[in-house]
Amino acid sequence: HDPGPWFEETLASLASQEYAELSVLVLDAASSVDVGPRVAAVLPTAYVRRMDGNPGFGATCNEVRGMVDGAAYYLLCHDDVALFPDTVALLVEEAFRSNAGVVSPKVISWDDPERLIHVGMTMDKGGSVVERVQPNEIDHGQHDAVRDVFIAPGGATLVRVDLFDELEGFDPAIVAMGEDLDLCWRAQ
């Protein structure tokens, strides 16, 4: 919904993916200006669907369930992420290797790629989300090993299609924050 000036970089990062089986579907949740021309300029092979309203990220992502056939995975992305060219290939490879239903990459700061944002999250005994990185933590490769996490943070999340369907996607009642927590909790 109403992506900013970074959107073309996001699209270019999807276009640069080394994963040959990647098809891109852009769901425009009633942006004030149609994003179709912006998408076509950078990623002409992408499909664009403009929605009548903005039900929130999770409910918008759920639309993919009735639109895509034959996929093994969905990579659900926000409009403000830029992926390295090997991201999708590595996520799919890890999902197969570890038989994971939900996989997410290490997330670094857009403006300062040495700063870690997320490496998965967990929960404490009271049900509060706990980050696995410290604020402003510098990436020295200390979190490069694959590990199980309770929550795969939204932004760029690979989800096995059969699991997403069984869970009936994201909870459409969650419109602002927490849809990633809810989906992962139900997946667990």
Side-chain angles (χ1 to χ4, degrees):
H1 178 76
D2 287 333
W6 56 80
F7 188 48
E8 282 74 10
E9 190 171 344
T10 296
L11 295 168
S13 79
L14 291 168
S16 74
Q17 290 304 299
E18 298 165 357
Y19 188 71
E21 299 298 317
L22 182 67
S23 295
V24 176
L25 168 62
V26 176
L27 296 172
D28 178 8
S31 293
S32 56
V33 176
D34 181 9
V35 301
R38 291 175 72 184
V39 174
V42 179
L43 193 54
T45 60
Y47 301 93
V48 178
R49 176 163 180 222
R50 184 168 171 82
M51 300 176 64
D52 292 331
N54 182 7
F57 179 75
T60 299
C61 285
N62 289 346
E63 292 294 314
V64 74
R65 295 181 59 223
M67 298 179 63
V68 176
D69 290 323
Y73 295 95
Y74 297 137
L75 178 65
L76 307 170
C77 294
H78 291 178
D79 63 6
D80 61 352
V81 297
L83 306 174
F84 289 112
D86 60 352
T87 300
V88 174
L90 291 171
L91 290 174
V92 171
E93 179 182 312
E94 184 54 38
F96 274 112
R97 188 189 71 73
S98 63
N99 194 28
V102 182
V103 181
S104 66
K106 173 172 59 175
V107 181
I108 56 176
S109 170
W110 186 290
D111 295 323
D112 185 0
E114 291 186 357
R115 301 243 180 248
L116 291 166
I117 303 294
H118 295 296
V119 294
M121 297 181 286
T122 189
M123 304 268 311
D124 66 15
K125 290 180 182 181
S128 296
V129 175
V130 177
E131 286 286 352
R132 298 178 59 90
V133 296
Q134 299 299 315
N136 296 312
E137 185 173 342
I138 301 295
D139 183 11
H140 297 289
Q142 68 272 30
H143 297 286
D144 285 356
V146 174
R147 58 179 75 132
D148 287 340
V149 297
F150 191 80
I151 306 163
T157 308
L158 187 81
V159 181
R160 212 173 58 223
V161 169
D162 64 331
L163 174 63
F164 197 69
D165 285 343
E166 185 171 325
L167 297 173
E168 298 180 0
F170 289 105
D171 181 342
I174 302 173
V175 296
M177 302 271 294
E179 65 275 340
D180 49 2
L181 164 61
D182 177 72
L183 183 76
C184 292
W185 191 308
R186 290 185 290 125
Q188 293 283 344

